[in-house]
């Protein structure tokens, strides 16, 4: 993707609310590196503007007349792939569900609409646009809704033989799994968790960076997409097999020495709470070689420090590969620190987890 002159990011803003649209326009006018080259009122405008103006990023509301953000995302990703940032002023279940469906269809992220004096949210939107302008996007000739719903019991052939032998030695020891994800994560989680049976034999803890207020909606949405049980983590919950514990808004997710959930408000990592570093560090301390850490698609380096600690504690660390990542940031950082046992595609990650399931089936 090529930006405008002198590195300026050309954007299109689409929102049926005149008040919200003007607030966004005023926000971007104050940024010298961002230029608004078009505005619209509904999803049909968004599609037309993208095809005509070829912006670097599209910022659009999820709930719009004539064509909503989901359908507009589908058309844009089929006809003129462009980084899409969704904005919403609502956390009601219908809008949350619509937002996650749009993420599956190719939108990169969803952010909250800012209030007039909401400086933090305003700054977050501007920074998000800057980051998303550099993300390469691909054609989606069909939407991904439902594309990954059928369980992928086995990975493709082709794992490195040496690693295959290593897995046979290590997988029987694993007692808990931690997963970290950011940009592109909801879709990746559907693929990974959707490939697992309802009675998966281990607990899974997940840190997903998501707009505040959306964690509960993500858990609800994931339950409609996968067979395994997904819930927000609750302080003191005892880890159970076949359960996925998702980090709640504004809390770090960890495990305690008693094998229970421990939620904390400790310092944010580079503005992130939850941070995957806290999860992986606790797994390293409590479980060591009996823990597996999986680092999925995402921007930045969250999780790298914790994955390094887990790796040093002889835990098993796997990172998603560049080809299947929406953003190859977090997995790359883990790889660069030599804290990963293997870099795998999403399909291979599902295969590895299902081998754990097979091990437990044989034992029983």
């Amino acid at each position: 993707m090529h930006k405008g002159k002198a590195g300026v990011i050309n954007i299109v803003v689409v929102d049926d609310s005149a008040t919200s649209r003007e607030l966004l326009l005023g926000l971007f006018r104050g940024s010298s590196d961002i230029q608004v080259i078009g505005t619209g009122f509904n999803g049909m405008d968004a599609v037309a503007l993208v095809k005509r103006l070829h912006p670097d990023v599209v910022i659009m509301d999820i709930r719009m007349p004539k064509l909503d953000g989901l359908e507009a995302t589908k058309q844009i990703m089929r006809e003129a792939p462009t980084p899409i940032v969704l904005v919403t002023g609502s956390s009601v279940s219908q809008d949350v569900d619509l937002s996650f469906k749009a993420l599956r269809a190719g939108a990169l992220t969803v952010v909250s609409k800012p209030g007039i004096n909401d400086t933090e949210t305003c700054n977050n939107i501007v920074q998000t646009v800057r980051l998303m302008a550099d993300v390469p996007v691909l054609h989606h000739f069909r939407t991904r809704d439902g594309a990954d719903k059928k369980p992928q019991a086995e990975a493709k052939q082709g794992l490195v033989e040496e690693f295959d032998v290593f897995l046979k030695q290590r997988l029987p020891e694993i007692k808990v799994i931690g997963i970290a994800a950011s940009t592109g994560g909801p879709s990746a989680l559907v693929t990974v968790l959707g490939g697992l049976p309802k009675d998966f034999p281990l607990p899974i803890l997940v840190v997903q960076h998501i707009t505040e207020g959306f964690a509960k909606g993500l858990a609800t949405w994931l339950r409609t997409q996968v067979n395994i049980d997904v819930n927000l983590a609750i302080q003191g919950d005892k880890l159970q097999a076949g359960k996925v514990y998702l980090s709640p808004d504004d809390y770090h997710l960890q495990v305690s020495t008693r094998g229970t959930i421990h939620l904390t408000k400790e310092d944010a990592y580079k503005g992130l709470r939850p941070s995957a570093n806290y999860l992986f560090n606790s797994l390293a301390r409590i479980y060591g070689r009996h823990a597996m850490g999986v680092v999925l698609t995402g921007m930045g380096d969250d999780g790298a420090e914790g994955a390094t600690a887990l790796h040093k504690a002889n835990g098993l660390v796997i990172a998603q590969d560049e080809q299947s990542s929406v953003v190859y940031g977090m997995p790359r950082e883990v790889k660069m620190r030599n804290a990963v046992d293997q870099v795998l595609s999403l399909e291979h990650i599902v295969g590895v987890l299902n081998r754990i399931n097979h091990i437990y089936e044989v034992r029983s």
Side-chain angles (χ1 to χ4, degrees), residues 276-295:
N277 285 327
Y278 283 85
L279 172 60
F280 289 152
N281 276 322
S282 72
L283 292 178
R285 288 193 308 270
I286 309 302
Y287 287 92
R289 68 181 292 106
H290 299 293
M292 176 191 290
V294 181
V295 182

Side-chain angles (χ1 to χ4, degrees), residues 23 39 78 96 131 183 213 238 316 334 350:
L23 182 58
T39 61
R78 280 197 305 266
V96 170
L131 293 171
T183 310
K238 186 173 179 59
L316 179 60
V334 177
V350 175

Side-chain angles (χ1 to χ4, degrees), residues 93-214:
S93 59
Q94 296 94 328
D95 289 355
V96 170
D97 183 66
L98 201 62
S99 298
F100 286 120
K101 286 180 178 177
L103 291 177
R104 287 282 282 161
L108 293 181
T109 191
V110 56
V111 296
S112 297
K113 285 186 179 181
I116 295 176
N117 297 313
D118 190 350
T119 304
E120 183 177 351
T121 303
C122 289
N123 291 338
N124 176 58
I125 290 178
V126 173
Q127 185 61 13
T128 297
V129 168
R130 289 178 179 134
L131 293 171
M132 297 305 150
D134 290 322
V135 176
V137 291
L138 303 173
H139 277 281
H140 289 213
F141 292 106
R142 61 188 179 93
T143 71
R144 289 180 290 180
D145 283 343
D148 301 314
K149 282 186 179 178
K150 68 174 184 178
Q152 301 174 52
E154 298 293 337
K156 285 181 179 178
Q157 298 298 316
L159 283 178
V160 177
E161 184 175 348
E162 182 180 350
F163 181 62
D164 195 48
V165 173
F166 174 75
L167 284 178
K168 289 177 182 177
Q169 297 171 343
R170 293 300 316 281
L171 290 183
E173 302 177 327
I174 302 301
K175 296 180 179 178
V176 64
I177 297 168
I179 299 178
S182 185
T183 310
S187 181
L189 286 171
V190 169
T191 299
V192 173
L193 300 178
L196 305 181
K198 185 176 182 178
D199 58 351
F200 187 72
L202 300 179
I204 300 174
L205 296 93
V206 178
V207 168
Q208 165 69 56
H209 301 155
I210 198 76
T211 298
E212 189 166 353
F214 271 66

